[in-house]
Amino acid sequence: YWRDWSSDVCSSDLVRAQVSSGSGVLEIADNGRGFDPSTVGSNSFGIAGMRERANAVGAHCVVNSGRSGTTVTVVFDLLGGTP
């Protein structure tokens, strides 16, 4: 399940993938109204689910959000080590 960020009053979306030196970065960002990740309740599975899925494949997921938008960054090692 992927949340439709375009419904959140934003004028720009970005999906970027980069690979270098055996590691990769996937970044998904928008310039919408954002939210405060520290206020996400324990019964909310969106951020926790993304982090669990990333961890399951040896990756690391970071969510940053604020008034200028939201960015989800996943860093992974293509060589099987730790990112």
Side-chain angles (χ1 to χ4, degrees), residues 10 17 22 36 39-40 44 55 79:
C10 66
D36 181 355
T39 63
V40 175
S44 177
N55 288 336
L79 303 176

Side-chain angles (χ1 to χ4, degrees), residues 63-80:
V63 177
N64 291 307
S65 189
R67 294 182 185 192
S68 61
T70 300
T71 302
V72 177
T73 305
V74 179
V75 180
F76 52 94
D77 182 14
L78 298 171
L79 303 176

